Amino acid sequence: MKIVVTGAAGFIGSGVASLLRDAGHEVRGFDLRGGEDVTQGDVRDEDAVARALDGADAVVHQAAKVGLGVDVSDLPEYVSVNGLGTAVLLAAMARHGVSRLVLASSMVIYGEGVYDCAEHGRRRPGPRAEEDLAAGRFEPVCPRCGRPLAPGTVDEDVPPDPRNAYATSKLAQEHLAANWARETGGVAVALRYHNVYGPGMPRDTPYSGVAAIFRSALEAGRAPLVFEDGGQRRDFVHVGDVAAANLAALGALESAPPGRLRAYNVASGEPHSIGDLADALSAARGGPAPEVTGRYRLGDVRHIVASPDRAAADLGFRARIRFADGMREFAHAPLATAG
């Protein structure tokens, strides 16, 4: 199959492109930076996208502006790269008769995870109040009775609740892809990546993931600075498993029903806290020990833990790299100088 991989020079996209080639596909990389086997171009450039799509059978769309953003000044760039760029790509796919799409989405579209109240059952709490965060009250409470909540597991049918510009732009990508599928009869899969880490991850920038920020601090001999109390739960999934999920999704397009988009969590199914992450990396590198700061960011959620069951059932995908093994590798793996 002839496949265009956008964002093919990036952290995730390069791994996806490499695995697809290993599986026997003909891959055409497309990225702002260009590189070996990667054509330089912007997904917002209609002519460049049209040239990249010539003769293609499918697109694996990884290109995006990532991270939670610094402040509202980032809004135009998120909307431009992630929203407009995806719209330009989809319109070009329709013109060129490319009917198969794998879209890199994100768990950030869910916002806060799901919780259970002993009295009121399943709850989706709203954004945490700044006065609570400033006072060290990090756990969401039941919006009806104010009692503590027990965190649950998010599946793909949970309604989205994006809490920042990046999340909103990723959800927009899913809606655009669903529109494209309905109007063209195309088939589309959205892979909602959870917290991806691994070799080649971008270094410590305001847009880096927390794993890279901790790893960069340790490499410089500094303690990882853990926000809140370190109890925030996430699902950390290795970049090699994410690449495998893309390969599985591409295969599933052959039998997927046309005219619709189907979403899947890409997650390990084994949640760990941010404190666990810092401890594991610090131990693997021999310190220094993490420092819990109590600081917070208003765009952050407390817990977001995924169910990997739909991807296992429909795509035959399950993450294989365990947290402890992946962290030992990542603690000494090379990092990239750009996102």
Side-chain angles (χ1 to χ4, degrees):
M1 190 183 299
K2 296 180 180 179
I3 305 164
V4 172
V5 178
T6 70
F11 166 48
I12 296 175
S14 59
V16 171
S18 178
L19 186 61
L20 294 180
R21 289 190 180 98
D22 290 346
H25 294 291
E26 181 181 331
V27 175
R28 183 179 300 154
F30 184 83
D31 194 287
L32 266 176
R33 287 173 292 172
E36 186 178 357
D37 298 321
V38 179
T39 299
Q40 186 173 10
D42 190 324
V43 287
R44 295 167 291 187
D45 182 334
E46 295 181 12
D47 292 337
V49 170
R51 289 192 295 271
L53 290 177
D54 186 36
D57 299 308
V59 171
V60 179
H61 184 30
Q62 305 289 325
K65 180 176 176 63
V66 300
L68 295 184
V70 176
D71 54 40
V72 293
S73 66
D74 284 326
L75 286 170
E77 189 72 2
Y78 279 111
V79 173
S80 179
V81 175
N82 298 351
L84 176 61
T86 298
V88 168
L89 174 66
L90 293 171
M93 289 174 65
R95 288 194 300 271
H96 286 262
V98 183
S99 61
R100 286 173 279 195
L101 172 70
V102 177
L103 170 68
S105 186
S106 173
M107 60 86 177
V108 295
I109 71 163
Y110 295 122
E112 192 68 66
V114 297
Y115 295 80
D116 292 301
C117 172
E119 181 176 351
H120 297 108
R122 182 55 51 95
R123 299 282 103 186
R124 292 291 301 283
R128 294 176 293 170
E130 186 168 9
E131 56 266 31
D132 287 334
L133 297 173
R137 296 187 294 268
F138 301 122
E139 293 290 344
V141 297
C142 177
R144 293 188 62 184
C145 66
R147 294 178 181 174
L149 293 168
T153 302
V154 170
D155 64 27
E156 293 85 351
D157 294 325
V158 168
D161 183 19
R163 302 283 177 89
N164 54 64
Y166 173 59
T168 301
S169 70
K170 296 305 287 185
L171 181 58
Q173 286 185 318
E174 288 198 19
H175 287 315
L176 290 166
N179 294 157
W180 165 83
R182 283 193 300 271
E183 294 181 22
T184 65
V187 290
V189 165
L191 300 179
R192 293 174 179 168
Y193 302 159
H194 283 251
N195 288 68
V196 186
Y197 73 95
M201 195 172 186
R203 287 186 177 276
D204 184 3
T205 77
Y207 304 96
S208 296
V210 66
I213 291 172
F214 289 171
R215 168 72 170 71
S216 295
L218 287 163
E219 187 175 42
R222 303 190 308 268
L225 301 180
V226 179
F227 278 23
E228 302 187 18
D229 59 0
Q232 313 93 298
R233 295 168 74 233
R234 300 289 188 271
D235 191 311
F236 298 97
V237 58
H238 193 277
V239 66
D241 283 325
V242 172
N246 277 269
L247 178 61
L250 191 66
L253 292 179
E254 300 292 333
S255 57
R260 60 177 295 191
L261 176 141
R262 182 80 162 158
Y264 296 93
N265 287 324
V266 176
S268 72
E270 297 181 357
H272 293 272
S273 71
I274 299 297
D276 292 340
L277 170 70
D279 288 340
L281 290 174
S282 179
R285 287 192 66 94
E291 177 185 336
V292 178
T293 68
R295 293 164 57 191
Y296 58 87
R297 296 188 303 182
L298 287 178
D300 286 346
V301 299
R302 181 62 176 175
H303 304 298
I304 177 72
V305 175
S307 167
D309 293 343
R310 180 185 288 182
D314 291 3
L315 308 181
F317 166 75
R318 282 198 180 276
R320 298 183 180 278
I321 300 173
R322 304 298 295 270
F323 179 81
D325 297 331
M327 289 299 154
R328 279 193 294 269
E329 174 206 37
F330 181 58
H332 299 279
L335 300 179
T337 56

